[in-house]
Amino acid sequence: KTREGRPIKMAGNPDSKISGSGLSPIDEASVLDLYDTDRLRGPVKDGNLTSWDTLDNDVKSQLEQIKSKGGSVRILSHTIMSPTLKKAAGEFLGQVAGGQHVTFYALSVSALAKAHEVAFGSRMIPSYHFDKATQIVAINCDFLGPWLNSEGFTHDYMLNRDPDKPMSRHLHFESGMSITGAKADMRFPVNPSQEAGLVLNLYNKLASELNKPRLRGVESFEVAGNGIELAAKELKNHQGNSLVVCGTNDVATQIVVAAINQMLGNYGKTINHDNKYHYFQGDDEAFESLVK
């Protein structure tokens, strides 16, 4: 929405199959960037405004020096969705010895992508369908807040939260109160240090319920209110219609969560790894390597 040519309100695209016309608080606030008096209006070198020609010549000169010495160059960027921009970056790196493109995302979900690479052989973040889930178990995962596709998740989640219809059941484990935790049917407080033990014990209790092999060497752990045992029993009754999500950026934990969903038969139903997300391409390992 504009007023006298000035944008004053953002809105989601009603034709979007991802957001379902929703918009996150961050996107809503992005209109304020248009009125930021401190934003850059041109290139800056050493804290001073300069021209594009001056900057280009300086960068070209430094790149030539690096190339002549056998050095390497990296492009560090956020996720790039544009095929044209990706092609331009590739052509640029093709002219620079040892070039590599490193993608960084501040709210990293790199462990989730890595876990699916370990489990399925392809690095990816699958799509989650909360509208198809009759039983949800979330572990420190604010999926109605900043996690992945919160706009689409909110839309899908609310479809099954109509009291006039059969409602989904939602159990939530978290360390601090979140938007999502406040809407859960049952909420269980846990420390971040307890997440790994929680996930491992949930796997073993569910395996016992389904007569599957248990993981060995797992120290017994339970949260107040027997939350893990309750979650395992309820998940057993909703195989293929359940969803277990975890927001921690730890590869080992995410691998176990993927194994739980696999044991429940959720892949191909409430989780779709054929229709994956492309807009969280940050790679923690590549970024750490760049820093070193």
Side-chain angles (χ1 to χ4, degrees):
K1 181 178 180 180
T2 62
R3 181 73 68 189
E4 297 177 354
R6 294 175 178 269
I8 61 172
K9 177 71 172 69
M10 301 285 285
N13 184 352
D15 295 329
S16 172
K17 295 182 179 180
I18 297 176
S19 66
S21 79
L23 208 64
S24 72
I26 294 175
D27 293 329
E28 288 276 13
S30 65
V31 71
L32 298 176
D33 288 340
L34 299 174
Y35 305 102
D36 182 3
T37 56
D38 294 325
R39 67 176 179 164
L40 296 177
R41 288 164 170 75
V44 173
K45 180 183 177 183
D46 298 329
N48 299 312
L49 290 173
T50 185
S51 68
W52 284 112
D53 287 340
T54 301
L55 185 65
D56 284 345
N57 290 331
D58 184 35
V59 171
K60 289 177 182 177
S61 174
Q62 293 189 42
L63 289 175
E64 287 298 327
Q65 292 180 31
I66 293 171
K67 189 173 182 179
S68 66
K69 296 177 181 179
S72 60
V73 173
R74 301 288 183 269
I75 293 178
L76 177 63
S77 75
H78 54 71
T79 293
I80 294 178
M81 299 289 290
S82 165
T84 304
L85 187 53
K86 279 187 175 181
K87 181 181 178 182
E91 290 177 348
F92 168 75
L93 291 173
Q95 301 173 17
V96 183
Q100 182 183 349
H101 185 188
V102 178
T103 304
F104 175 74
Y105 181 59
L107 300 176
S108 179
V109 289
S110 180
L112 183 60
K114 181 65 177 179
H116 282 88
E117 181 181 9
V118 173
F120 300 101
S122 176
R123 183 181 177 87
M124 63 175 172
I125 299 176
S127 55
Y128 296 87
H129 301 281
F130 287 87
D131 56 326
K132 299 178 181 179
T134 55
Q135 177 65 55
I136 301 167
V137 174
I139 303 162
N140 263 341
C141 184
D142 193 10
F143 59 82
L144 301 180
W147 193 69
L148 299 182
N149 176 25
S150 60
E151 303 89 358
F153 293 160
T154 300
H155 176 271
D156 292 348
Y157 177 80
M158 296 309 295
L159 291 176
N160 283 344
R161 302 295 285 180
D162 186 343
D164 294 329
K165 301 177 182 178
M167 289 178 61
S168 62
R169 182 140 164 92
H170 175 191
L171 305 185
H172 204 88
F173 300 85
E174 63 181 1
S175 53
M177 179 65 77
S178 66
I179 295 172
T180 310
K183 292 175 173 56
D185 295 300
M186 297 187 71
R187 179 181 175 274
F188 303 92
V190 294
N191 293 327
S193 59
Q194 297 174 315
E195 280 185 33
L198 188 160
V199 171
L200 289 168
N201 275 265
L202 177 59
Y203 181 97
N204 275 352
K205 287 186 183 297
L206 184 60
S208 296
E209 292 283 342
L210 298 175
N211 295 319
K212 301 284 187 179
R214 291 163 51 93
L215 299 173
R216 296 180 180 180
V218 176
E219 185 176 345
S220 180
F221 170 74
E222 183 57 271
V223 299
N226 294 326
I228 300 176
E229 184 175 351
L230 176 63
K233 289 182 178 179
E234 295 198 6
L235 286 169
K236 174 191 174 183
N237 297 328
H238 295 269
Q239 299 179 56
N241 298 313
S242 57
L243 197 51
V244 181
V245 290
C246 180
T248 185
N249 194 37
D250 178 72
V251 176
T253 301
Q254 291 290 359
I255 289 175
V256 179
V257 172
I260 292 173
N261 281 306
Q262 182 80 346
M263 182 164 39
L264 289 165
N266 291 335
Y267 282 97
K269 296 177 181 177
T270 58
I271 306 176
N272 187 348
H273 42 42
D274 291 327
N275 185 20
K276 55 190 177 181
Y277 293 119
H278 295 277
Y279 46 85
F280 298 102
Q281 298 172 10
D283 188 331
D284 290 355
E285 292 180 354
F287 181 69
E288 290 173 7
S289 177
L290 171 63
V291 171
K292 290 178 181 180

